[in-house]
Amino acid sequence: MKDMISKYRRGIIVSVHIVVITIAYVVAYILRFEFRLPPEDELFLLKTLPVLALIKMSVFGYFGLFRGLWRYVNMEDIFQIFKANVAAMVIFVLAVVFFFWITGFPRSVFLVDCVFCTGFMVGIRLCSFFLRNKNRPANRCNKRLLVIGAGEAGVSIVRESRQNPDINFEIVGFIDDDPAKRGATVFGVKVLGAKQNIADIATRHRIEEILIAIPSAGGEVIRE
């Protein structure tokens, strides 16, 4: 089953996006007219749906939404989805008004469709992300790891450890000298203290390895 999904992955992703586009547009119409769709507006929907699907699929392809791996979804991916939907909405509005010369089109449908389509696309990716991580086989004999530095490098290490089943360590906590980060939690990993607390924290939490995640750290800091 996994091999078949990998083989037809691109086709599955494209098909899912087409379904999402259709559902979002229909739901936007239904909500706009409070579940009573007039015949003339039903005709608008049927007439413009293929146009909308063509525009959105083209724009989504341009923004690279069919290439990303959903198990690695992040804020950049979500922002890309938002930009793609806004761009598609603008193009669709122009097509409806200037190319098809359709008048009397319910304008609120544009915005509602954009919101729902964005929400559905983000929701599907997040569900895929959480399901993959939930079903990820647990590593045995994990080493207990303490990460020094709760910045971008440290966060990347935590993210990778959650997504990669081959990593054989458990991140117990962060060490960071920034007072604003003290006691904060990043991806479920707590900032346990500052550098002067390392010895005590390592003993108390049975730490087996320490990883320095500060790219700018010089030799003096590392020796300390």
Side-chain angles (χ1 to χ4, degrees):
M1 184 68 174
K2 187 176 180 180
D3 292 338
M4 187 176 71
I5 291 175
S6 298
K7 183 179 180 181
Y8 298 105
R9 179 179 170 278
R10 186 66 175 266
I12 292 172
I13 290 176
V14 169
S15 300
V16 168
H17 280 84
I18 292 174
V19 171
V20 166
I21 291 168
T22 303
I23 292 176
Y25 194 49
V26 172
V27 169
Y29 249 102
I30 291 175
L31 290 179
R32 164 63 178 79
F33 292 100
E34 299 178 348
F35 300 93
R36 296 192 195 94
L37 199 60
E40 61 273 17
D41 288 293
E42 184 177 348
L43 181 62
F44 277 154
L45 188 154
L46 295 175
K47 188 175 182 180
T48 55
L49 178 57
V51 180
L52 176 67
L54 179 62
I55 291 172
K56 285 199 173 185
M57 293 301 288
S58 301
V59 173
F60 292 171
Y62 175 79
F63 277 85
L65 301 187
F66 304 141
R67 296 194 300 267
L69 295 175
W70 291 358
R71 63 179 177 270
Y72 297 126
V73 65
N74 53 37
M75 286 305 299
E76 184 179 345
D77 297 323
I78 294 174
F79 186 55
Q80 199 76 347
I81 291 170
F82 172 74
K83 290 193 298 182
N85 273 282
V86 171
M89 178 184 69
V90 172
I91 296 173
F92 181 54
V93 170
L94 295 175
V96 167
V97 174
F98 296 107
F99 187 74
F100 288 93
W101 297 97
I102 298 176
T103 58
F105 194 91
R107 297 177 183 86
S108 59
V109 170
F110 295 131
L111 182 59
V112 176
D113 168 69
C114 181
V115 171
F116 271 96
C117 194
T118 301
F120 289 156
M121 291 171 67
V122 171
I124 288 174
R125 283 161 170 78
L126 290 177
C127 286
S128 175
F129 171 80
F130 286 120
L131 286 174
R132 283 176 178 271
N133 282 279
K134 181 181 179 182
N135 297 326
R136 182 170 67 92
N139 291 318
R140 298 177 182 177
C141 303
N142 286 349
K143 291 182 179 180
R144 296 174 66 79
L145 186 74
L146 187 65
V147 177
I148 300 179
E152 288 298 324
V155 172
S156 297
I157 291 169
V158 175
R159 186 185 298 117
E160 178 65 19
S161 72
R162 297 290 172 81
Q163 297 172 346
N164 190 339
D166 297 324
I167 291 178
N168 65 340
F169 57 72
E170 175 191 357
I171 298 179
V172 177
F174 284 111
I175 293 293
D176 203 287
D177 286 341
D178 186 350
K181 296 179 181 178
R182 204 70 49 78
T185 301
V186 182
F187 281 100
V189 179
K190 191 175 181 180
V191 179
L192 300 174
K195 285 201 295 288
Q196 63 266 26
N197 308 124
I198 290 177
D200 178 57
I201 291 171
T203 302
R204 186 165 10 111
H205 292 276
R206 306 186 312 279
I207 301 300
E208 298 174 82
E209 290 189 11
I210 294 178
L211 180 63
I212 300 175
I214 308 176
S216 59
E220 184 179 347
V221 174
I222 293 173
R223 284 190 297 272
E224 181 187 357

